Amino acid sequence: MARPGHSAWLVLAGVLLLAASASGQTQDCLSATFQGGRTFQKCNNMAVLGASLHWTYHAVNGTADIAFRAPQGSNGWVAWGINPSGLSMGGSNVFIASHDSSGTMSVLTTVLEGTSPTFANQSLSFPVPVPPTAEYAAGVYTIFTTVTLPRNSTTQNTVWQAGQGNTGAYLSHPTSGANLRSTLSLDFLSGQSTGGGSNSRLHRRNIHGILNAVSWGILIPLGAMIARYLRVFEAADPAWFYLHITCQLSGYILGVAGWALGLKLGSESKGITYNPHRNIGIAIFCLATLQVFALLLRPDKKNKYRFYWNIYHHSVGYTAIVLSAVNIFKGFDILKPAGGWKTTYIAILATLGGVALFLEAVTWAIVLRRRKSDKSHAAANGAGWQHQRQAA
């Protein structure tokens, strides 16, 4: 850390780690494997609930072999289905996978007639040539089935959902956030999708998350560490200041871009508002903007107001950093990405924290030794002055 180049490498490593986990999320459905050597021609990463849909379309008879995957605890359930009448849950023909009271996997087929269905096992409104089955492994349910696409159309309204309970008593799923966006219009022939679960929206949400994690979550804290620790080393002056400014301004620019994208995504989600995440994001933007203006008003070191400016600068900066970490984790709860995203960010935070603790000890030792040396010189100079007076 004594050499400024190390900071740049740490930034690059953080960006690459997050980019790699983002790529892993995008490629998740393509890399999935299934027991028994099953394969599917196409797949779609659903926008919410961590779900993915895999299928092979047979044009000769208008059927599709389906594999629907979604993470959920063993005491919960997942569902996938088709709604021939519209892009909503009401009227959907669904397959629900869960464990029954004895712990055995089961798949129930039912038609959701309203918002409070009875979950009676019944035939669907379209043929199901192959009885559905399900498996549960590594915290993920997979439903296998073959369906005859309604109206012999390749474009269908698909729905999916997840909640607590089992075959004996399905409990209601949440009625806000991700659970309201689990619908998708999908072309089983081309693989193109539109609607609440479109991949284009998922892509923008992922960009929003990456921009904010890299800017507020990595660059800004790294810039603060540079200012706090590198300035202690005389050889790093004034390089530490320029590194600090580079990290902070880069983080601010990327953060504002991510913040603006978040506002855009929010405006496109009428009736769905994540108030805590949104409000904290606005607060972070305001605090960071104040820091940028504070840079323009920074007093000279000898100015009597510099002491108060330092208090303001440090308190606002550290507050923004803490709020950023909190809001990034709130973003994870909203996006519900693959576990690698959150794990990667936690690892980066732990690394930054570990480096900070190490440098805290090192720099304090340097500062204390420097103070002791200064006192020794002052005492020696004082004794010399007294000796000169007595000799005079």
Side-chain angles (χ1 to χ4, degrees):
M1 199 66 181
R3 289 184 295 171
H6 289 179
S7 302
W9 281 111
L10 188 55
V11 174
L12 180 60
V15 173
L16 291 176
L17 281 171
L18 279 175
S21 61
S23 175
Q25 169 70 0
T26 302
Q27 299 297 323
D28 180 64
C29 77
L30 296 176
S31 60
T33 57
F34 303 93
Q35 294 182 2
R38 303 191 200 202
T39 59
F40 299 89
Q41 293 179 351
K42 289 184 172 63
C43 69
N44 188 301
N45 284 321
M46 315 301 242
V48 293
L49 304 180
S52 62
L53 184 68
H54 311 253
W55 74 91
T56 297
Y57 174 65
H58 304 283
V60 65
N61 57 7
T63 63
D65 299 329
I66 301 292
F68 170 76
R69 293 164 53 91
Q72 183 62 280
S74 59
N75 60 342
W77 56 268
V78 302
W80 175 85
I82 292 176
N83 189 343
S85 60
L87 202 59
S88 62
M89 288 295 171
S92 298
N93 292 244
V94 298
F95 302 85
I96 306 175
S98 68
H99 292 85
D100 61 23
S101 56
S102 64
T104 303
M105 284 293 304
S106 65
V107 180
L108 178 144
T109 59
T110 190
V111 178
L112 304 180
E113 300 294 352
T115 57
S116 301
T118 59
F119 295 112
N121 198 24
Q122 57 183 300
S123 299
L124 304 183
S125 64
F126 47 81
V128 181
V130 178
T133 59
E135 64 183 33
Y136 184 75
V140 176
Y141 282 96
T142 304
I143 300 174
F144 298 101
T145 188
T146 297
V147 299
T148 300
L149 299 180
R151 304 182 305 276
N152 196 30
S153 172
T154 61
T155 301
Q156 298 293 332
N157 302 311
T158 64
V159 299
W160 67 99
Q161 201 54 260
Q164 296 296 310
N166 54 37
T167 305
Y170 297 113
L171 302 181
S172 299
H173 61 77
T175 55
S176 62
N179 296 85
L180 288 183
R181 302 196 304 277
S182 53
T183 59
L184 180 73
S185 179
L186 176 66
D187 188 334
F188 283 84
L189 179 60
S190 68
Q192 296 298 310
S193 59
T194 59
S198 66
N199 278 346
S200 62
R201 180 174 173 78
L202 173 62
H203 181 65
R204 286 183 293 149
R205 294 172 72 208
N206 287 343
I207 292 176
H208 164 72
I210 292 173
L211 285 175
N212 286 325
V214 171
S215 58
W216 309 122
I218 298 178
L219 288 176
I220 298 296
L222 183 60
M225 290 172 59
I226 289 172
R228 179 170 178 81
Y229 301 119
L230 280 189
R231 66 191 304 173
V232 174
F233 301 95
E234 295 178 354
D237 191 25
W240 72 265
F241 177 75
Y242 296 112
L243 282 173
H244 171 66
I245 294 300
T246 299
C247 282
Q248 303 308 76
L249 288 181
S250 299
Y252 179 75
I253 292 170
L254 291 177
V256 169
W259 177 74
L261 181 56
L263 293 180
K264 174 63 175 175
L265 289 169
S267 68
E268 295 174 353
S269 304
K270 301 298 183 182
I272 302 175
T273 304
Y274 302 100
N275 285 319
H277 184 67
R278 176 177 178 273
N279 293 338
I280 294 175
I282 292 173
I284 292 169
F285 168 76
C286 293
L287 291 173
T289 302
L290 285 175
Q291 288 288 70
V292 172
F293 283 109
L295 176 65
L296 303 176
L297 302 174
R298 185 170 64 111
D300 185 80
K301 289 183 179 180
K302 297 180 180 180
N303 191 297
K304 63 179 181 179
Y305 295 109
R306 181 60 178 260
F307 173 76
Y308 302 103
W309 184 90
N310 285 337
I311 294 176
Y312 155 81
H313 184 63
H314 294 159
S315 59
V316 171
Y318 289 130
T319 299
I321 290 173
V322 171
L323 289 177
S324 297
V326 170
N327 217 30
I328 288 170
F329 282 106
K330 286 188 175 295
F332 285 134
D333 292 337
I334 294 170
L335 281 173
K336 296 188 183 300
W341 286 57
K342 195 171 185 178
T343 301
T344 299
Y345 181 63
I346 291 174
I348 292 173
L349 277 187
T351 300
L352 291 176
V355 171
L357 287 175
F358 172 75
L359 290 177
E360 191 74 26
V362 170
T363 53
W364 265 112
I366 293 174
V367 170
L368 292 176
R369 186 169 63 247
R370 193 173 293 166
R371 288 178 180 176
K372 184 178 180 180
S373 176
D374 291 343
K375 288 181 179 179
S376 298
H377 284 305
N381 291 336
W385 181 73
Q386 290 291 338
H387 179 73
Q388 290 174 6
R389 287 191 61 187
Q390 292 174 1

